[in-house]
Amino acid sequence: MDNKYEERLGTASMLPLILKMALPGFAAQLINLLYSIVDRVFIGHIELIGTDALAGIGVTSSIIILISAFSQIVGGGGAPLASIALGKGDRERAHRILGNGFSLLVLFTVVTSGITYIFMEPLLRLIGASDATIGYATDYLSVYLTGTLFVMFATGLNSFINAQGRPGISMIAVIIGAILNIGLDPLFIYVFGMGVTGAALATVISQAVSAFVIVGFLVSDKATLKIKPKYLKPDIKIIGSLFALGIAPFIMASTESLVGFVLNGSLSAYGDIYVSTLTVMQSAMQFAAVPLSGFAQGFVPIVSYNYGKGNTDRVRLCFKYSVIIMFSFFALTNLFMITFPEFVAGMFTDDTALIKTVGRMMPLFLTGMTIFGLQRTCQNMFVALGQAKISLFIALLRKVILLIPLALILPNFLGVKGVYLAESVADATSAICCTVIFTLTFRKILKKREQT
């Protein structure tokens, strides 16, 4: 078996390796971001109904994020474990992790989509859908849910391609789906006059294509880590390890949904325009956060593989380059959006009132994100090193311990501004705390590995 792609993780020059591994994921996630962004851009510009339709799509995002978060138990937890196993030479365990991950994704699809269909309208009302926006929300979500399995496969299995040192394949899978989505959106929304239903249908078709490419590779002879029927049978120990490490990435993703419930619910009391404002600003925030998730998918396998090998000097070097790149990107992109908020808002809507509201609230909302690259790097390093407990605490810190209480408390003193300011305060505080924890524990983790 030709394992040259895996072996280069432990031998190639570090900075070129990071760029070769991470840039395809970075580009893929940047393009993948267009799945949701393009939907919102086209929907926000629908004549007469754009602002209400945008708010309707905004409230569905909390449910969509929660559903897709389950795939992170497999992708965010399983892929690093598979990389560590490959680094140790335990290929059997790596295959079992992938096979059990595949089975879990099917189970997650059945459970999450079924529950959402049954309780769709009450959930949307709870998040903040009003009489004016509930119709758009249900139209979009009811179609989107038909593609849940494709979303699970596309987001949950892609990391296993990176674990084999094949980020180019991963990038191609995402790009094909994203380009298709960009083409289908205007066709379904405007030409066929399907509105928000057309946007959801375009996304489902696009995710299906990406999923077929990913699964197709993982069952082919080109893959060194493959989906095989004999490894699909549930293994309690393997599933337990997936949950142990994957719960942190799951919480990182799912708490975004929980925050959506709280923030949209709070903002709905001030009017639908503030819900639309949050939708625009969260979309803008994703321009920094989502591409760097792709970048992390590139450096995490390098760290995990070398940690498994015991090459701790390469782990340190990978962290050094990664933190510089991720911090700089977060800082520059968020400073741009803080400086030109109305320009950013104009990408999503022609509504003058909405643009001006975003202009006032964007600096409050994003200032804390300027240093958030520190947390993203340190948090992904903990996952890459298999540090489940620390990863879990940090995942809970930002959203559950800090943001949700702040979002409920600050509006009592600052009104609607307090809802947006809560995000910024939580982001900055958690980034500082995460960096301090990482500084205190990183050397101990590597020293323990060196002694084994």
Side-chain angles (χ1 to χ4, degrees):
M1 183 180 291
D2 187 358
N3 299 331
K4 64 179 181 179
Y5 291 104
E6 295 172 15
E7 292 171 356
R8 70 176 180 175
L9 299 178
T11 59
S13 179
M14 185 55 69
L15 182 57
L17 175 64
I18 291 174
L19 296 177
K20 185 175 290 186
M21 286 289 295
L23 288 180
F26 178 92
Q29 289 302 317
L30 183 61
I31 295 171
N32 191 39
L33 176 58
L34 296 175
Y35 273 121
S36 61
I37 299 300
V38 168
D39 280 352
R40 294 176 184 187
V41 168
F42 283 118
I43 288 169
H45 286 89
I46 297 176
E47 191 174 356
L48 301 178
I49 67 168
T51 299
D52 284 342
L54 190 62
I57 299 304
V59 296
T60 68
S61 64
S62 295
I63 296 175
I64 290 170
I65 289 170
L66 179 59
I67 291 173
S68 62
F70 282 90
S71 69
Q72 291 303 310
I73 295 174
V74 175
L81 290 173
S83 292
I84 292 173
L86 292 173
K88 292 180 177 179
D90 192 348
R91 190 166 295 278
E92 173 78 11
R93 176 174 170 80
H95 276 96
R96 289 189 181 280
I97 291 170
L98 174 57
N100 276 250
F102 183 92
S103 298
L104 277 178
L105 291 173
V106 176
L107 175 63
F108 291 154
T109 297
V110 174
V111 174
T112 57
S113 59
I115 291 174
T116 305
Y117 267 120
I118 294 171
F119 301 105
M120 185 185 303
E121 186 165 338
L123 284 171
L124 290 170
R125 292 283 187 183
L126 179 64
I127 299 170
S130 67
D131 290 339
T133 62
I134 187 67
Y136 302 116
T138 54
D139 286 348
Y140 187 89
L141 189 58
S142 59
V143 174
Y144 185 93
L145 288 173
T146 63
T148 301
L149 183 62
F150 304 134
V151 175
M152 290 289 186
F153 283 166
T155 57
L157 297 177
N158 214 8
S159 298
F160 287 92
I161 299 178
N162 287 334
Q164 303 174 48
R166 303 296 295 272
I169 302 296
S170 172
M171 178 181 69
I172 289 170
V174 175
I175 288 178
I176 289 174
I179 291 175
L180 183 60
N181 187 59
I182 294 169
L184 292 178
D185 257 338
L187 180 66
F188 288 167
I189 293 172
Y190 297 118
V191 177
F192 295 160
M194 298 175 68
V196 295
T197 301
L201 181 59
T203 299
V204 168
I205 293 172
S206 303
Q207 288 281 21
V209 172
S210 291
F212 278 117
V213 173
I214 292 166
V215 174
F217 174 79
L218 289 174
V219 299
S220 73
D221 292 334
K222 295 179 180 179
T224 55
L225 181 60
K226 299 172 64 174
I227 298 170
K228 297 181 179 180
K230 66 178 180 179
Y231 296 124
L232 299 181
K233 183 179 179 181
D235 182 321
I236 298 302
K237 291 184 178 180
I238 293 293
I239 292 175
S241 64
L242 285 172
F243 272 90
L245 186 59
I247 197 68
F250 168 76
I251 289 175
M252 288 165 59
S254 63
T255 49
E256 295 287 344
S257 173
L258 180 60
V259 168
F261 276 77
V262 174
L263 296 185
N264 282 314
S266 298
L267 291 171
S268 62
Y270 296 96
D272 287 338
I273 192 169
Y274 290 105
V275 178
S276 297
T277 297
L278 180 65
T279 301
V280 170
M281 294 193 299
Q282 286 181 326
S283 300
M285 181 191 291
Q286 289 176 342
F287 276 112
V290 172
L292 284 191
S293 296
F295 185 90
Q297 288 175 9
F299 85 74
V300 164
I302 300 173
V303 172
S304 297
Y305 185 89
N306 284 285
Y307 181 70
K309 279 278 189 181
N311 296 335
T312 54
D313 286 340
R314 286 179 65 81
V315 172
R316 293 185 184 93
L317 190 57
C318 185
F319 170 72
K320 174 184 174 181
Y321 287 126
S322 298
V323 73
I324 292 171
I325 293 169
M326 294 186 77
F327 176 80
S328 300
F329 183 81
F330 254 104
L332 292 174
T333 51
N334 282 284
L335 284 172
F336 174 82
M337 290 184 287
I338 290 169
T339 306
F340 305 104
E342 293 190 8
F343 171 80
V344 175
M347 297 170 56
F348 296 91
T349 182
D350 296 322
D351 188 322
T352 303
L354 179 55
I355 291 173
K356 289 187 178 299
T357 305
V358 172
R360 294 196 309 271
M361 300 302 175
M362 185 85 86
L364 291 174
F365 190 72
L366 288 184
T367 299
M369 287 290 288
T370 55
I371 64 170
F372 198 68
L374 295 172
Q375 174 162 336
R376 269 301 169 90
T377 311
C378 295
Q379 193 165 359
N380 280 291
M381 284 293 295
F382 281 129
V383 172
L385 296 170
Q387 301 299 309
K389 292 180 180 179
I390 302 175
S391 301
L392 177 58
F393 170 73
I394 294 171
L396 289 169
L397 176 64
R398 178 190 174 204
K399 297 296 186 182
V400 178
I401 298 174
L402 292 172
L403 179 52
I404 292 175
L406 286 170
L408 296 173
I409 294 169
L410 291 182
N412 294 317
F413 303 96
L414 301 173
V416 69
K417 290 182 179 180
V419 181
Y420 300 114
L421 184 61
E423 177 77 41
S424 192
V425 175
D427 291 342
T429 304
S430 63
I432 294 169
C433 291
C434 180
T435 304
V436 171
I437 293 170
F438 185 83
T439 302
L440 295 174
T441 57
F442 185 45
R443 290 181 182 179
K444 295 179 182 178
I445 294 168
L446 295 188
K447 186 177 181 179
K448 183 178 180 180
R449 180 69 183 98
E450 290 166 352
Q451 293 173 348
T452 58

